[in-house]
Amino acid sequence: MTRINLLLLFVLVGCALSLVTSRHDARRTFNELERERERARQYEVEYGQLSLEQSTWAMPARVEKIARESLHMQMPLPSRVQVIEAPAQAAKCTGDNGCDRAGAAIASTGAASR
């Protein structure tokens, strides 16, 4: 009878140690999860700030001001601007490849700087 009691005692101690270890691992994993969630929130805030900064730097009025003041550039005279219609089979224009909103390519005759 004593041997069975000792065996059951060892099994009980083993189960208790296993329970303590698994609870500790669960708490540690939860703490890591919370740290990573906080880091993700910080990255979202930083992304928002950087997006705002990028939109500020890329404002057309700001770019035009820098081009005019720092680079001494000016808009070409209307008489020097030619609008060239794109052929029907040509690739569609996008807003950043030298096409206006109607899809016509824009070309300037002469230099745009002083």
Side-chain angles (χ1 to χ4, degrees), residues 74-83 106-114:
Q74 62 184 0
M75 291 293 293
L77 298 173
S79 62
R80 297 188 67 154
V81 175
Q82 294 179 358
V83 177
I106 299 174
S108 175
T109 58
S113 63
R114 289 185 187 172

Side-chain angles (χ1 to χ4, degrees), residues 20-36:
V20 169
T21 303
S22 66
R23 289 269 176 118
H24 176 71
D25 288 342
R27 287 184 180 128
R28 189 182 71 236
T29 304
F30 179 75
N31 287 336
E32 288 176 17
L33 176 64
E34 288 301 311
R35 277 194 301 272
E36 294 303 321

Side-chain angles (χ1 to χ4, degrees), residues 21-95:
T21 303
S22 66
R23 289 269 176 118
H24 176 71
D25 288 342
R27 287 184 180 128
R28 189 182 71 236
T29 304
F30 179 75
N31 287 336
E32 288 176 17
L33 176 64
E34 288 301 311
R35 277 194 301 272
E36 294 303 321
R37 284 181 179 168
E38 180 61 30
R39 186 183 297 174
R41 282 189 289 272
Q42 290 172 351
Y43 284 147
E44 288 175 8
V45 168
E46 183 180 4
Y47 177 76
Q49 291 170 343
L50 290 173
S51 295
L52 179 62
E53 183 179 347
Q54 180 185 21
S55 66
T56 302
W57 284 99
M59 290 178 63
R62 182 183 177 281
V63 172
E64 184 178 342
K65 179 182 176 188
I66 291 172
R68 195 173 48 252
E69 293 174 0
S70 299
L71 302 175
H72 307 291
M73 296 177 81
Q74 62 184 0
M75 291 293 293
L77 298 173
S79 62
R80 297 188 67 154
V81 175
Q82 294 179 358
V83 177
I84 302 170
E85 296 296 327
Q89 68 272 13
K92 296 242 182 214
C93 293
T94 59

